[in-house]
Each structure stands twice: as structure tokens, then as C-alpha cells.
Amino acid sequence: MQSADKPLLERETPIRVALDAMGGDYAPHETVKGAVAALGRPGMELLLVGDAAPVQAELDKYDLEGKSVKVVPSEGRIGDDEHPLHAFRQKPDASVIVGTKLVKAGQADVMVSLGSTGASMATAALVLGMMEGLERPCIGGPFLGLAPRTVLMDLGSNVDCRPSQLLNFAALGSVFAHRFLGTENPRVALLSVGSEKSKGNRQVQDSYELFEQSHLNFVGNVEGMDFFSDKADVIVCDGFVGNILIKFTEGMGSALGGYLSKQLAPYMSEEQMKDVFNRLWQTTNLPRTMGGPLFGVNGAVIVGHGSSRADGVAGAINTAVRYVEMGLLESMRDELAEISRNGLAGESQ
Amino acid sequence: MQSADKPLLERETPIRVALDAMGGDYAPHETVKGAVAALGRPGMELLLVGDAAPVQAELDKYDLEGKSVKVVPSEGRIGDDEHPLHAFRQKPDASVIVGTKLVKAGQADVMVSLGSTGASMATAALVLGMMEGLERPCIGGPFLGLAPRTVLMDLGSNVDCRPSQLLNFAALGSVFAHRFLGTENPRVALLSVGSEKSKGNRQVQDSYELFEQSHLNFVGNVEGMDFFSDKADVIVCDGFVGNILIKFTEGMGSALGGYLSKQLAPYMSEEQMKDVFNRLWQTTNLPRTMGGPLFGVNGAVIVGHGSSRADGVAGAINTAVRYVEMGLLESMRDELAEISRNGLAGESQ
């Protein structure tokens, strides 16, 4: 697996991506289809983790001449309706667990799953362990096509957060914005109900000073409309608020589609409208098209939306490859260590 | 002022509306213009509270033959940038204070202000007093044109809330949905990150049981997408979340306008697009077009958005008249008393 016949510019060995082929609403049909599509990218090896027979059957549909892909057998899957921790204990050979263990064992560089996010998080935390200062993985990234370079952290994994947790999210988001999105010196903000330091709930007010004392490029509070005003590159909130926002946006995108189809019917054909709406849907469902990293775990894990079709699967795999290429994991570990060193002492740069 | 020459169906006396003519970004020009437009409605008397000379000068531009309107002099105004409580003490004759005192004295049935919401809230709480169980006024109502019958409470006045406060918001919202929007037995829900009882932050989990035990028609938790799925008529959250959502929606409406104008340019003229966007703007800025009540104060106060033009002012005045006609204040007081009686004892109906 370490053959160097397809070198990348910055790597001598291919990137080994483990895909949970059983995860997602349309697995393994769409996961395998998406995996094969992603194999067009050079310098990548794919490990399809799943029930061997059905995964191989899907794989046999394609011409894989010259492509580096193999099946790693696992047994069963963990569903959205299962308790992640119970399932982790009861199904030790489930696809998400076997795949994550490949990362832990150094046999894969990154793991991609479209299955239960809860199961991915619990498995990653238990198998790979957490970075310093974090208790649970967090999820984040751009979530609005209308603001594709604005990172929101956390999107739903940590519903009650202490100020120090929010600061860790900010540090992780800042590295992601810098390295993955190419934003120089990312502006970090707390999501609140007014821009003044005195505005916000207790959590935000308690966090403000901690953020000011950090070495991050903290620009203060922003408000709900500032996702669209280019005031900040990384917007930090707890997972309760973040999850409500992301689901609200998804719902609004669908509802607007219905609303606009009535408004626009006099002006355009159904085909033309479909085209406009498809693009609109993407602007309100960004995480579904590219997946996002599980931040804070000691290993690279990318989660995608369960309703992803083949193109969403391929998008998540591409995100995984870029994540590894850019060495994001190491940068994030360094950044958290920096935050931890500065601590509450306020030794800003 | 108690002349009964323009009887409503259900009232023998006209409804007396005090308007803070100095409140809002375009006062007094647009406030007076909107007031005159609203005077087309029968059975209403208008009291324009403001600096006498400029308000009268605006009023003199119109033919008021047969209209019942008069100027109540006040001195100065409280701006958005002033601390509401300090301003309340330093400017006792400011328009919002004089107007609210007309309600307290029984000389007006309802007060309407487009000025600083903070000043309206502080003044209402201090002059009119709070209903039992509430410490601060709350604001709420439908906020999405796409879901015009779904009430969100609180929209921003109470950023940290105990479960009992959320229950009071629910009771007020339930009365509003029933009486003002005509919804039978309104379905009440907590805004959370999952529908199961176990899902949510500590605040929501602590509130769930209290809601279950109340006599409200509690249907459980809803998620961000459920503003568009008709699962609940009254959705309850603290003002931190509510304020972020309403501002996010406003910002998204504007951003979508820009995005869609590029997408739609090939299909329609600028005039046609303007028309579609104006309607789209209204669907994402509902509170700006009709104002909403300050809930929980012992008197009827309607607040509108500071950027309202004449039609927004007239919309808020119409909301004020309907609010009084329907006896909402009395119903809300009864509902809070009922909640308070049931308390934590769980005597559900």
C-alpha cells in the first residue's frame, strides 16, 4: 500500500482513505459509486470498509483497471437510531469502528463516513482519543453557500459549552480557515445579540474576555446578519445554537424553493427553474456536498451527510484527501497546545 | 375622547392609539405619514406624542377633515444608542415615556413605538408594571413570511432564561396564536436539536418536563427545519437564540436577493425582478411590516422596527388596534395566572 507510483507534489506516498461503505441512507450502492468517481484523483488509495459480499458486488460493476481500491471486510453497521456508545460495545466489528481502527493502526490516513454522526464521533473519541482540552469532537466549517468562506463552529456536537471550550473551537476553526480555506489571519468572532462587549448571554459575556486575552485575531461579537456581512471568518457558538442554525437554513432553502417556484413560474420554464433551484439548494446545504472534519480527535475523520448521493460521497472523499495533504491535524494540535499554554494568563502575542 | 360616533362592531367607543411620533429612523416624517394612512380605519383615535412643533408641521401637510387625531406634546426622544434605564431617569418627558403614561392613565388604549425597543421595554416595565411571573417584557410573534402563522418566542429581550420563564413565554405565545392568529388549540414546542425528550441543552431538558405538566398543548421538541414543517404553532426559545434567528433570517433575505438577481437576470426584466424581491424581502422581514406586542406588561404596547417607513408605521398601528379589539391583554393575564396556579404541581387539564 505504500507504493509511490502516483506521487503528489508534496507527498511521496499516496493518501490512504478508508471509506465506511455501509454508512449513509443509500449505502453501499451510492457510497461505492461515489468512491469509484473519487478514484479519478491521482495519488489516492481507497479502502472500502463494509460487509464484503455486497460491497464487492457493487464494486464489480465498474472497470477498476489501474485504480487502487480494495475491500476491508467488517460486520454490520451502526444506524442513526442506535445509541452510539451501546452500539460501539455491541458491534465491535461494525464498519465505522473497523474503518476508524485502520486510522489508529496507521493503515489509513483518514476515515470518511456518511453514517450516523453520533456513531462516528463516539468511535473517533474512543478509538483515536481527544486532543488536549477537548472532551468531545466538534464539527464545523462553512455551512452557507452564500458565505462559503465563513466557518461556523460548533455545528451540533456540544450543546452546553464552557468559555474554554468555545475558545478551543475558535482555535480549531481558525486553523481550518487559514490552512483549508486560505484565509490569512482569520478574524474570529463570538455569535451574540449585539456587537458591544456587554451584549450577549452569560456564556458569551464570560467568553469575551478569554477570547480577548488569547492570541487569536478576535474581532468581538457579531450578530445573526453578520454571516452575510464579511465581518468575521470564524464565528463561534455552542452546538445548540449552531445545530439550530444549520437545520433552519436547510429548511429555509427547501421552503424558499417552493415559494419561489410559484413566484417565478410566469418567467421561466420548469427546466430552467430546476436548474436555479438546484444551485439554490447547494447554497443552503453546503455541508451535504463536501462533508466536514471531526475536529479535536487524534486522527483524521471526515463526516458527510447521511442523505448524500454519489457526488456527496466523492465530495467528502476529496475533502478528506485535502485535509491530509494540508497537514491540518498537526496544525490543530499545535494550536490547541498554544491556547493551553497561554491559558487564562492572557499572554497574547 | 370617549365619543362614540364611530362605533366598531364589538365596541361602543373608539380605540385610542398613542403613537410615539419621534420614534424610528425616519421620525417624525414617516411616523406622521403612516399615522395619517392608518386613520382611514374607522373607530380609532390617534394621539401623536412628540415635540409639538415638528409633529404639527408634518400633520399640517394632510387634509384631516373628519379624522380624529391630536398632538400630545412631549420633549425629546430616547435613541437606540442610549442606555434605556439611564435615559428613562434623565428624560422623563421623552415621547416614549409620555405615550406609555397615557396608557397607564387610561387616556390611551395602546401605545405604538418604532423607537428603541430597549427604551420601550424599560419604560413599559417601569410605568405599566409586569404581569405575574415575568421579570421583563418578552417579544415574539410570526417572524417568517414563509411560515406566517408560526409564532416564535422570545425574539431577543431575555437572553438567559429559566424553564419557568420559557413556560410563561409559551403561555403568552399560545394566547397570541389562538386569539390573534385564530389557531385552535395551538401546538406548543421547545426549539431544540432533536425531537426526542433527551435531546437538547440543559435548559431545554429542564424545561421539557415542566412543559409536559402544564395545561398547554405541548407537542415536544422541534428542530430548526420545523419552522417550515407545520409541526408546531408556537415555538419557544430564549431570546439569545431567537434574536440570532431573526437577524440571521433578515440577513439571509438580503443576501439571497443579491444571489438570485444574478441567477435570474437571464430570465426577467429588472422591474419584474424588483417585484419578486420585494415580496421575498417581506417574507423574511415580517416583523418590520406589522410590528408586534410587548408581552407580559400590564398594558398594551406594540413595537415596530426602527427602519419602518410609513407603511410599516401604519401596519404597527393596525396591529395595535386588533390587539385591543381582541382583548389579548386580559386573556394573557388569565393564562399566566393559570400557569402560576398549576405551577410545578403538574395539574394538567
Side-chain angles (χ1 to χ4, degrees):
Chain A
M1 294 219 297
Q2 294 288 350
S3 71
D5 53 2
K6 290 176 203 147
L8 283 177
L9 269 180
E10 301 170 23
R11 289 177 66 97
E12 300 207 338
T13 55
I15 292 173
R16 299 158 302 162
V17 179
L19 173 69
D20 175 1
M22 309 306 287
D25 302 345
Y26 307 107
H29 179 73
E30 295 285 324
T31 46
V32 173
K33 189 176 170 190
V36 172
L39 274 170
R41 183 175 186 128
M44 182 177 76
E45 287 180 3
L46 257 181
L47 305 169
L48 298 184
V49 185
D51 294 359
V55 172
Q56 189 63 54
E58 289 294 332
L59 208 48
D60 288 344
K61 295 177 184 171
Y62 304 95
D63 172 17
L64 298 167
E65 178 71 26
K67 303 274 172 71
S68 179
V69 55
K70 71 175 206 178
V71 177
V72 177
S74 63
E75 277 174 39
R77 62 195 294 268
I78 302 181
D80 269 327
D81 51 342
E82 297 182 69
H83 190 285
L85 286 176
H86 294 175
F88 181 84
R89 291 195 198 99
Q90 283 158 9
K91 298 181 175 176
D93 299 318
S95 54
V96 65
I97 299 176
V98 171
T100 307
K101 283 182 174 169
L102 289 175
V103 175
K104 176 70 179 175
Q107 295 178 288
D109 298 302
V110 58
M111 157 78 175
V112 175
S113 180
L114 299 305
S116 155
T117 304
S120 295
M121 282 173 30
T123 303
L126 290 166
V127 171
L128 303 170
M130 298 302 306
M131 291 182 186
E132 193 183 334
L134 287 172
E135 288 157 21
R136 298 159 57 93
C138 67
I139 46 180
F143 81 112
L144 281 166
L146 293 167
R149 294 169 58 83
T150 305
V151 172
L152 179 65
M153 312 270 298
D154 170 54
L155 288 177
S157 41
N158 298 264
V159 293
D160 284 299
C161 294
R162 292 187 307 278
S164 61
Q165 285 176 292
L166 293 184
L167 185 62
N168 282 331
F169 299 167
L172 295 168
S174 188
V175 172
F176 184 77
H178 180 206
R179 301 290 295 266
F180 197 85
L181 303 175
T183 306
E184 279 302 320
N185 199 21
R187 295 160 298 170
V188 173
L190 281 162
L191 183 57
S192 188
V193 297
S195 56
E196 305 89 338
K197 185 174 178 173
S198 63
K199 288 287 173 72
N201 59 8
R202 210 170 303 133
Q203 177 197 53
V204 167
Q205 292 193 32
D206 289 350
S207 302
Y208 198 102
E209 202 148 326
L210 197 61
F211 274 61
E212 275 187 317
Q213 291 169 352
S214 77
H215 69 294
L216 298 173
N217 182 15
F218 179 53
V219 296
N221 291 339
V222 295
E223 303 175 73
M225 68 286 230
D226 293 322
F227 286 96
F228 312 95
S229 70
D230 194 32
K231 282 193 186 159
D233 304 301
V234 179
I235 298 181
V236 180
C237 62
D238 64 31
F240 185 77
V241 174
N243 183 271
I244 288 170
L245 271 182
I246 191 172
K247 288 177 178 166
F248 180 80
T249 305
E250 288 182 9
M252 190 164 190
S254 305
L256 269 178
Y259 168 80
L260 282 172
S261 59
K262 280 181 209 143
Q263 300 283 317
L264 298 178
Y267 306 109
M268 38 208 300
S269 72
E270 271 191 41
E271 272 307 299
Q272 292 169 330
M273 215 142 54
K274 211 168 168 183
D275 193 43
V276 169
F277 289 168
N278 277 343
R279 285 198 295 270
L280 174 65
W281 189 85
Q282 283 178 14
T283 70
T284 54
N285 288 271
L286 200 57
R288 296 204 189 199
T289 61
M290 57 179 280
L294 274 190
F295 292 100
V297 291
N298 278 318
V301 179
I302 305 294
V303 291
H305 204 287
S307 65
S308 300
R309 300 279 183 169
D311 55 349
V313 175
I317 292 173
N318 283 331
T319 297
V321 171
R322 291 185 57 209
Y323 190 78
V324 176
E325 280 178 346
M326 292 172 173
L328 271 166
L329 199 66
E330 298 71 24
S331 304
M332 286 179 181
R333 208 179 274 133
D334 294 347
E335 189 71 14
L336 283 184
E338 175 77 22
I339 286 276
S340 170
R341 254 197 309 281
N342 281 347
L344 296 172
E347 294 172 43
S348 49
Q349 67 182 9
Chain B
M1 293 224 297
Q2 295 286 352
S3 70
D5 52 3
K6 290 175 202 146
L8 285 176
L9 268 180
E10 300 172 23
R11 287 177 67 95
E12 300 208 337
T13 56
I15 291 173
R16 299 157 302 164
V17 178
L19 173 70
D20 174 1
M22 310 304 288
D25 302 346
Y26 307 107
H29 178 73
E30 294 286 324
T31 44
V32 173
K33 190 175 169 190
V36 171
L39 275 170
R41 183 176 185 126
M44 183 178 76
E45 288 180 2
L46 257 181
L47 304 170
L48 297 184
V49 185
D51 294 359
V55 172
Q56 189 63 53
E58 288 294 332
L59 209 48
D60 288 344
K61 295 177 183 172
Y62 304 95
D63 172 16
L64 299 167
E65 179 71 26
K67 305 274 172 69
S68 179
V69 55
K70 72 177 206 176
V71 177
V72 177
S74 63
E75 277 174 37
R77 62 194 293 266
I78 301 181
D80 269 327
D81 51 342
E82 296 181 70
H83 190 286
L85 286 176
H86 295 174
F88 181 82
R89 291 194 199 100
Q90 283 157 9
K91 297 181 174 176
D93 299 317
S95 54
V96 65
I97 301 176
V98 172
T100 307
K101 283 182 173 170
L102 289 175
V103 174
K104 176 69 179 177
Q107 295 178 288
D109 298 302
V110 59
M111 157 78 175
V112 174
S113 180
L114 297 305
S116 155
T117 304
S120 295
M121 282 173 33
T123 303
L126 291 166
V127 171
L128 303 170
M130 298 303 305
M131 291 182 186
E132 193 182 335
L134 286 172
E135 287 157 22
R136 299 160 55 94
C138 67
I139 46 181
F143 82 111
L144 282 166
L146 293 168
R149 294 168 58 83
T150 306
V151 171
L152 179 66
M153 312 272 298
D154 169 54
L155 288 177
S157 41
N158 298 265
V159 293
D160 285 299
C161 294
R162 292 187 306 278
S164 61
Q165 286 176 292
L166 293 184
L167 185 62
N168 283 329
F169 299 166
L172 295 168
S174 188
V175 173
F176 184 76
H178 180 206
R179 302 289 294 265
F180 197 85
L181 302 175
T183 306
E184 280 301 321
N185 198 21
R187 295 160 299 170
V188 173
L190 281 162
L191 183 57
S192 188
V193 297
S195 57
E196 305 88 338
K197 184 173 179 174
S198 62
K199 289 285 173 75
N201 59 9
R202 211 169 304 133
Q203 177 197 53
V204 167
Q205 292 193 33
D206 289 350
S207 302
Y208 198 103
E209 200 148 327
L210 197 60
F211 274 61
E212 276 187 316
Q213 292 170 350
S214 77
H215 68 294
L216 298 174
N217 181 16
F218 179 54
V219 295
N221 291 339
V222 294
E223 303 176 73
M225 68 285 230
D226 292 322
F227 285 96
F228 312 96
S229 70
D230 194 31
K231 283 193 186 159
D233 304 301
V234 179
I235 297 180
V236 180
C237 62
D238 65 31
F240 185 76
V241 175
N243 184 271
I244 288 170
L245 271 182
I246 190 172
K247 287 178 178 166
F248 180 80
T249 305
E250 287 182 9
M252 190 165 190
S254 304
L256 269 178
Y259 168 80
L260 283 172
S261 58
K262 280 181 207 143
Q263 300 282 317
L264 298 179
Y267 307 109
M268 38 206 300
S269 71
E270 272 192 40
E271 270 308 300
Q272 292 169 330
M273 216 144 52
K274 211 168 167 182
D275 192 43
V276 169
F277 289 169
N278 277 343
R279 285 198 295 270
L280 174 65
W281 189 87
Q282 283 178 13
T283 70
T284 54
N285 288 271
L286 200 57
R288 298 203 188 199
T289 62
M290 56 179 283
L294 277 190
F295 292 100
V297 290
N298 277 317
V301 179
I302 304 295
V303 292
H305 203 288
S307 65
S308 299
R309 300 280 184 170
D311 55 349
V313 175
I317 292 173
N318 283 330
T319 297
V321 170
R322 290 186 59 209
Y323 191 78
V324 175
E325 280 177 347
M326 292 172 171
L328 271 165
L329 198 66
E330 296 71 24
S331 303
M332 286 179 180
R333 207 179 275 131
D334 294 346
E335 190 71 13
L336 284 184
E338 175 77 21
I339 286 276
S340 169
R341 251 197 312 281
N342 281 348
L344 296 171
E347 296 172 41
S348 50
Q349 69 180 7

